[in-house]
Amino acid sequence: MKLAGGVAISVVLVIGVGLALAARERPPEALPSPSPTPVPTATATLTPETPSPSPSPTPVATVAPTPAPTQRPRPTTNVAGQQLISYYFMTRAQFSIFPPTPQIDFDEPADENGDAWYRGLNAAGQPIFTVREDYVMTPSTAFHEMGHAYQDLAQRKSAGADVMTKFWTYRVFPATWQDALTEANLQTGMAQWVKLPGESWAESFSVAMIGGGHEKTLDYGRTINPVGMKAFFVSLVPAAP
């Protein structure tokens, strides 16, 4: 009986020691694996796009309308027209059909197209003249205007006779003065002026009074003779005996 009890004690000791060791040598508890430290992801910072500026419209130059020229006030004197007086008296000394005095109207403005004008006879039979206010009178222009007046005075004196027909015949101009007038009226400006029979008469009178020079109107190749021309004009209205 002595052996069996010893074995039992040994078994008990062994178990006790084993339990004690087991208690001492408890396997370590599994610790949770540490989560990896997150590596910060680089985030691109987007710079907001600056919108391209809208193209500016090309400025269009504003063209100001051309202002209408200011109308010059009409002259209220006949200072320029008075330059004709001396030439009028010279003409009247040779052609007594001219009245003692003319009518001189107020001057024309400086921007008027022309130098001097004959405007017909007034109710008293006086020739009416006017001159551009800034014009310096010349013998050629003065006697030209006197020539216009003489045509009307001579025609009134001649009654039924056509003095222009006599003039056209004397100058040996082609066709008739009526034909020339028709042709002239198809033109404008100076192209018309040089063909007008009335202007041809006035130019001839001017050359005759001056005693020389050349007419500015169309002479159809018939060079004027100042002396003969003067005699022709005198013959239209013979001086009273």
Side-chain angles (χ1 to χ4, degrees), residues 45-155:
T45 301
L46 299 179
T47 303
E49 292 185 3
T50 302
S52 300
S54 301
S56 300
T58 303
V60 178
T62 302
V63 179
T66 303
T70 303
Q71 185 70 31
R72 291 174 59 94
R74 292 191 64 80
T76 55
T77 67
N78 61 4
V79 174
Q82 290 294 324
Q83 299 176 90
L84 286 172
I85 294 297
S86 61
Y87 296 99
Y88 184 87
F89 290 145
M90 282 189 279
T91 304
R92 185 172 185 271
Q94 301 178 56
F95 297 89
S96 59
I97 193 174
F98 279 80
T101 58
Q103 174 181 320
I104 306 295
D105 281 354
F106 286 156
D107 298 335
E108 288 294 321
D111 57 358
E112 190 66 30
N113 182 24
D115 300 329
W117 296 264
Y118 164 70
R119 290 178 166 170
L121 304 176
N122 64 17
Q126 292 175 295
I128 307 169
F129 302 105
T130 188
V131 177
R132 198 181 71 234
E133 63 180 336
D134 61 340
Y135 184 68
V136 178
M137 188 56 60
T138 65
S140 176
T141 297
F143 288 127
H144 177 100
E145 301 310 322
M146 299 304 145
H148 282 307
Y150 184 64
Q151 180 186 350
D152 279 353
L153 292 168
Q155 185 60 61

